[in-house]
Amino acid sequence: MTTPAITVTHLTRRFGDFVAVDDVSFDVQQGEIFGFLGANGAGKSTTIRMLCGLLRPTSGTATVGGVDVGRDPEAVKLRIGYMSQKFSLYEALTVDQNIRFFGGVYGLEGERFARRRAFALDMAGLVGREKSLTRELAGGWRQRLALGCAILHEPPIVFLDEPTGGVDPVSRRQFWRLIDHLSQQGTTVLVTTHYLDEAEHCHRIAVMNAGKLAALGTTRELKQVFEGRPIMEVQAPSAVVAMRALDAMPEVEKTSLFGTAVHAVLRSHQTTAERVTRQLLTAGVVATSVMPVEPSLEDVFLDLVERTSA
Amino acid sequence: MRKALAVGIKEFRQIRRDRRTLMILLFIPVFFLLLYGYALNFDIKHVKLAVEDRDLSPESRRLVSAFVNSGYFDQVASVTIEQEIVDLMDRDHIRAALIIPRGLGRDVRRGVPVSVEVIINGENANTATTVMGYASAVITTESARYQMAAPGSPAPFVQLEPRVWYNPDLRSSLFLVPGLLAYIGMITAVVSTALAVVREKERGTMEQVRMAPIGTLPFIVGKSLPYFVVSMTAAVGVVLASMVLFDLPVRGSWWLLLLAMGLYLFGALAMGLFISTVAESQQVAFQIALLSSFLPTMMLSGFIFPIASMPTVLQIVTYVVPARYFLVALRGVLLKGSGFLAVADSLAALMLFAVIVTSLATIRLRREWA
């Protein structure tokens, strides 16, 4: 068993009376893609900023790449790459000038810089467009260039703070392919997102809610909260009316809206689809379809948020 | 230091690409120089003058020739009735008229005060003020002579309040250029530095840079160096342009001049950095810069309003306005040819300001980054 790339123990950060991150502990293994899931303001970014050495923890410790973040934030910066949702490139500079700037800031020189520059250009798919202004690039390219600039110095650990915000689905897919690739080469990736489909790419997921770690595990492990609580997907002409009827049934633990359908969490496997259909009819709701479904990450997320907020 | 260089090169490239900033840095100084120098205050010569001499005494003739010999006035008409002045003025044949009352010679000999009427075309208020100043200077000189000839006379020959101060030659550009330099320093250094740093905060690039292993010092140095170079260039450009356009003398040493400008800009850059650590948006930064640097430089430095005539409270405030010391040093070096010792006080004050503000900015930035 190798030592973890990131170890977080009882990490806490307060801003005045507000506890942004509340006693959070977890490990991230080397080469792992570790997803951070949570609503806005759940404490994801604050946690990442502490791990990057930008923000001092109020209490608790975090070790990143073998360095205690609270003690030596500068040393951490050599071992990590960071990219945020803002794609922090200089828009008035060309592709090449951006790479040169970040190369200079990271202290890359000579042959190593040339090699990494070629890598970044290739990765972003911008070979031949070195002289283009960054502000003229489409979102996907800009984002891949930002990633390239963030990992110019070949950091063993990469933090991505909502890296795919505002980017089209095709680019997002391409971006995730890059992340998979990094992970295969042994880079540890810690990524925050609120796209639940993206979370499926992660090896393990930590769900944060109101500053606390609400759950942690693989997608499959997380879905086990629905062990013994089957989910029934109900389609009806009026989802809202159907939802109200379902909520009135003693067999139903809770409901939530999924697009035009309603997901009803049942209290046991005893309750069949036919039974639900019948009950709905009694309540005057004609369901067009009622069938059991596998819990999705969204079900898990909503369930966790609801339970930890209560 | 290599990292500071990387930041510096990047900043230079950004400035070059950002037309608006470049305009502010390079063209506004020149624009202001031309505007203030030419359009508003350029010396007026050969003002066309009509004379109505009702006295026709040796004294009145002396006064007329004093006007003409000053070089500022050309006598283009002699009139006998006032209506003629109105006609000439209406048709723009003259811009000023001198009316000498009957009995001037006699009154002067007796030491009785007398007033001489000067009519000036007031269409251009600035020109009129200047012309009034010339007339006043001529009359005062003449008046003084009679007073000396007749000691014990109760009042001057003619009383006229001079309108332009600190510049007895009435060469307004000489007095203007130091002020402009101070003003330009504030625009380029404070505003562009403050905006440049805050822009990085706004766009999120600051966070990216903070994630990189680069300390506050290389970052600050790299960030301000380009602005220092550009604003120094602009300042030297203004001096050179003024030498060509307005015959600005550089009576002292160039080294001293550059030292004064360097210290002043150093302080201004530090001011900009300090503002950037306080402000979170470019608008706020601009407003703070306006209030803390722009306006004091214009109003409280002695550029436009003389410090000696301000209320005491404001006079005290001017002690923390760096432009105040800069102007003293500049006027000394440029116009009086002062040596190092003569301006050492002002230079020391500029240095002190720069060091204090830099320390404040660094402390704040460190705290923000930690």
Side-chain angles (χ1 to χ4, degrees), chain B residues 59 103-113 146 150-155 157:
Chain B
E59 285 76 13
L104 174 121
R106 185 195 61 223
D107 287 349
V108 163
R109 278 192 297 270
R110 283 201 223 139
V112 176
Y146 286 111
S153 60
F157 176 67

Side-chain angles (χ1 to χ4, degrees), chain B residues 11-310:
Chain B
E11 200 66 28
F12 252 128
R13 285 178 170 148
Q14 272 189 309
I15 295 173
R16 222 179 47 197
R17 198 91 57 187
D18 183 356
R19 298 246 164 78
R20 217 168 15 153
T21 306
L22 203 60
M23 281 287 277
I24 291 178
L25 290 179
L26 292 177
F27 295 110
I28 288 193
V30 177
F31 174 71
F32 270 99
L33 185 69
L34 294 178
L35 186 75
Y36 283 109
Y38 272 120
L40 298 182
N41 277 295
F42 200 52
D43 293 334
I44 298 148
K45 282 192 175 172
H46 304 293
V47 176
K48 288 181 183 141
L49 178 77
V51 176
E52 182 185 348
D53 188 347
R54 296 180 187 158
D55 196 39
L56 292 172
S57 62
E59 285 76 13
S60 70
R61 269 178 233 117
R62 271 193 72 98
L63 186 59
V64 174
S65 43
F67 265 83
V68 174
N69 293 338
S70 72
Y72 295 120
F73 297 94
D74 286 349
Q75 189 183 351
V76 294
S78 283
V79 299
T80 47
I81 52 167
E82 208 156 332
Q83 184 56 39
E84 282 184 77
I85 294 174
V86 177
D87 292 342
L88 289 167
M89 197 78 91
D90 277 352
R91 277 177 278 142
D92 246 355
H93 285 286
I94 57 167
R95 296 185 70 173
L98 170 67
I99 302 170
I100 299 172
R102 194 184 308 272
L104 174 121
R106 185 195 61 223
D107 287 349
V108 163
R109 278 192 297 270
R110 283 201 223 139
V112 176
V114 75
S115 43
V116 166
E117 200 176 343
V118 176
I119 301 169
I120 292 165
N121 178 349
E123 279 172 355
N124 181 331
N126 286 298
T127 313
T129 309
T130 312
V131 173
M132 181 66 90
Y134 297 150
S136 149
V138 170
I139 290 171
T140 312
T141 313
E142 282 301 296
S143 165
R145 211 203 335 235
Y146 286 111
Q147 253 182 304
M148 284 215 284
S153 60
F157 176 67
V158 167
Q159 224 168 350
L160 262 177
E161 192 88 357
R163 295 283 172 96
V164 183
W165 294 8
Y166 291 139
N167 193 2
D169 302 345
L170 295 172
R171 283 183 58 195
S172 38
S173 58
L174 294 193
F175 145 86
L176 198 77
V177 171
L180 266 182
L181 278 170
Y183 182 64
I184 289 160
M186 279 293 152
I187 298 186
T188 54
V190 179
V191 176
S192 44
T193 314
L195 292 190
V197 178
V198 175
R199 192 180 312 138
E200 294 223 17
K201 276 205 236 175
E202 269 183 4
R203 302 237 169 113
T205 47
M206 182 72 119
E207 197 171 69
Q208 195 73 50
V209 174
R210 283 176 59 194
M211 290 293 184
I214 177 169
T216 24
L217 195 66
F219 179 75
I220 289 181
V221 172
K223 193 85 190 159
S224 10
L225 209 59
Y227 292 98
F228 186 75
V229 171
V230 175
S231 39
M232 255 328 233
T233 311
V236 171
V238 168
V239 173
L240 291 177
S242 313
M243 289 169 75
V244 174
L245 297 175
F246 310 123
D247 290 328
L248 175 83
V250 181
R251 299 199 175 110
S253 90
W254 267 93
W255 290 115
L256 207 51
L257 181 64
L258 290 176
L259 180 65
M261 295 198 298
L263 284 175
Y264 177 68
L265 290 177
F266 176 27
L269 285 170
M271 190 78 194
L273 273 176
F274 181 72
I275 291 170
S276 75
T277 63
V278 182
E280 287 301 324
S281 76
Q282 292 192 65
Q283 272 132 323
V284 174
F286 188 77
Q287 276 161 9
I288 298 179
L290 198 71
L291 281 174
S292 68
S293 321
F294 246 26
L295 295 181
T297 300
M298 290 293 275
M299 308 295 175
L300 298 176
S301 66
F303 173 22
I304 293 180
F305 307 112
I307 292 172
S309 64
M310 289 174 189

Side-chain angles (χ1 to χ4, degrees), chain A residues 284-303:
Chain A
V285 176
V286 186
T288 47
S289 107
V290 177
M291 56 165 150
V293 290
E294 281 296 304
S296 71
L297 259 186
E298 198 165 345
D299 288 303
V300 174
F301 182 68
L302 289 174
D303 186 55

Side-chain angles (χ1 to χ4, degrees), chain A residues 49 52 54 77-78 82-84 86 88-90 92-94 97 101-102 104-107 109 133 150, chain B residues 2-3 6-7 10 13-14 16-17 200-205 207-214 369-370:
Chain A
R49 291 164 70 84
C52 292
L54 273 192
K77 292 179 181 175
L78 289 166
Y82 169 84
M83 178 193 156
S84 76
K86 289 182 183 163
S88 312
L89 297 165
Y90 292 95
L93 299 186
T94 65
Q97 286 167 349
F101 169 68
F102 285 105
V105 168
Y106 281 109
E109 292 168 25
L133 281 186
Chain B
R2 293 188 68 96
K3 289 178 183 175
V7 177
K10 178 226 80 180
R13 285 178 170 148
Q14 272 189 309
R16 222 179 47 197
R17 198 91 57 187
E200 294 223 17
K201 276 205 236 175
E202 269 183 4
R203 302 237 169 113
T205 47
E207 197 171 69
Q208 195 73 50
V209 174
R210 283 176 59 194
M211 290 293 184
I214 177 169
W369 279 34

